[in-house]
Amino acid sequence: MACKRPLVERLPLELWCYIIFLLPPADVCVVRHVSRMLGVLCNDPRVWKHLELESSTQWDLKQIRPIVAQHSIPHIRSISVHNVRDEVVRYILNACPQLEELTVSRWTTLSHHALKCNYAAHGLKRLHLHGQDAAYTAIDALAIARLFTCCPQLQVFEMVAQAHVHLPTLLAAFARHPPQALRLLALPTYHPDPSIHAECFLRLCPGLESVLLISNSVSHHPPNLFIYRRSLSRTGMDYSSVAGIRKSMFSIMRQGNPP
């Protein structure tokens, strides 16, 4: 007697699970509507926990919303997305209350509007903004300070791009509301000698361990990377510059990819 089960249900469930885990998130969103069985498999929380959103063209909200939607939002813990604009980053930040890590790279334009986070108890812990030489970035110190107010658990903030963050303004904001969870801070600046600002960051933020400042000053061509670490062995600050890390950070600036 011929088998009357649909063809998609004749394959072992283990094989379907393996296939689904290999698919890009956009394709999973399509597959989950093929049958009830595939819908159940595609709704497995493990499928949506860590999302890699890569595209040769720029993502827009019409493409992102079916992925970051009701079926996936409760399970998303980290997202890595390439080729985006402000509205996509802002949507992800505000739609995913369980999001812990967001990596954004290879944008065309990115401004302070991308960081408008309205969820007061947001659980974001790590935010990586990795631009490239041609990327336009206009994220100012006040936008960064507001983000830390909305995301009190933020431990790592990296912005590696051709941009300028006015460090005295950010320090003034941190003096009013010091980020208690911050562990690592990486920022671009035009200040030719940011050592005094790094020392202030380390003193204001009780948990801060490392400050990385990329100086885009005209006196530093190519840009210079300054690395400051809190001394664990003695009172005071331990300043150092590491050639290997400098090379990696320059690679990020050129390619938009994390090391």
Side-chain angles (χ1 to χ4, degrees):
M1 182 180 293
C3 180
K4 296 183 179 180
R5 295 173 59 196
L7 181 61
V8 295
E9 296 184 6
R10 297 178 197 173
L11 290 176
L13 290 180
E14 294 80 4
L15 182 56
W16 272 119
C17 289
Y18 179 76
I19 293 172
I20 290 170
F21 272 95
L22 292 178
L23 292 175
D27 292 342
V28 177
C29 290
V30 176
V31 172
R32 64 187 293 268
H33 295 292
V34 172
S35 72
R36 182 176 298 178
M37 181 202 74
L38 289 179
V40 172
L41 295 179
C42 290
N43 286 339
D44 187 321
R46 294 171 296 177
V47 175
W48 305 102
K49 189 173 183 180
H50 305 291
L51 300 184
E52 294 279 345
L53 304 179
E54 297 189 13
S55 176
S56 57
T57 58
Q58 195 170 71
W59 288 97
D60 58 37
L61 280 180
K62 291 182 180 179
Q63 297 170 303
I64 291 291
R65 279 178 171 151
I67 300 172
V68 182
Q70 184 176 2
H71 66 276
S72 63
I73 284 174
H75 313 303
I76 297 175
R77 296 297 180 271
S78 72
I79 296 178
S80 177
V81 60
H82 313 280
N83 290 330
V84 295
R85 296 187 67 177
D86 292 349
E87 59 182 8
V88 171
V89 178
R90 185 169 63 248
Y91 173 75
I92 291 173
L93 285 173
N94 289 283
C96 304
Q98 304 301 321
L99 184 68
E100 296 179 358
E101 182 168 15
L102 175 61
T103 301
V104 181
S105 60
R106 295 201 296 271
W107 59 79
T108 302
T109 61
L110 202 66
S111 75
H112 65 277
H113 295 289
L115 301 186
K116 288 185 176 179
C117 183
N118 300 321
Y119 192 77
H122 205 288
L124 188 68
K125 295 180 180 179
R126 295 173 294 277
L127 178 58
H128 315 277
L129 304 176
H130 294 161
Q132 56 187 357
D133 290 340
Y136 175 73
T137 310
I139 296 176
D140 59 22
L142 292 178
I144 296 172
R146 284 193 297 268
L147 178 71
F148 276 95
T149 301
C150 293
C151 304
Q153 299 183 49
L154 195 58
Q155 299 175 4
V156 175
F157 181 84
E158 300 174 0
M159 186 167 75
V160 183
Q162 290 293 335
H164 168 58
V165 175
H166 191 247
L167 300 183
T169 300
L170 185 59
L171 283 168
F174 279 7
R176 293 189 294 270
H177 304 286
Q180 299 298 316
L182 184 60
R183 298 291 180 269
L184 186 147
L185 181 67
L187 296 170
T189 180
Y190 286 160
H191 297 287
D193 183 11
S195 59
I196 187 172
H197 300 108
E199 182 175 348
C200 292
F201 279 119
L202 289 166
R203 287 176 176 168
L204 282 174
C205 306
L208 187 59
E209 298 170 0
S210 300
V211 180
L212 288 74
L213 299 176
I214 304 101
S215 178
N216 292 322
S217 169
V218 292
S219 62
H220 292 152
H221 185 75
N224 204 356
L225 173 66
F226 297 89
I227 304 171
Y228 307 90
R229 296 189 182 93
R230 188 185 302 275
S231 175
L232 301 179
S233 59
R234 58 182 174 80
T235 304
M237 310 301 167
D238 177 27
Y239 305 140
S240 61
S241 179
V242 182
I245 299 180
R246 182 188 294 115
K247 181 179 180 181
S248 298
M249 298 295 278
F250 287 161
S251 176
I252 293 173
M253 295 170 69
R254 289 193 301 269
Q255 302 173 15
N257 294 320

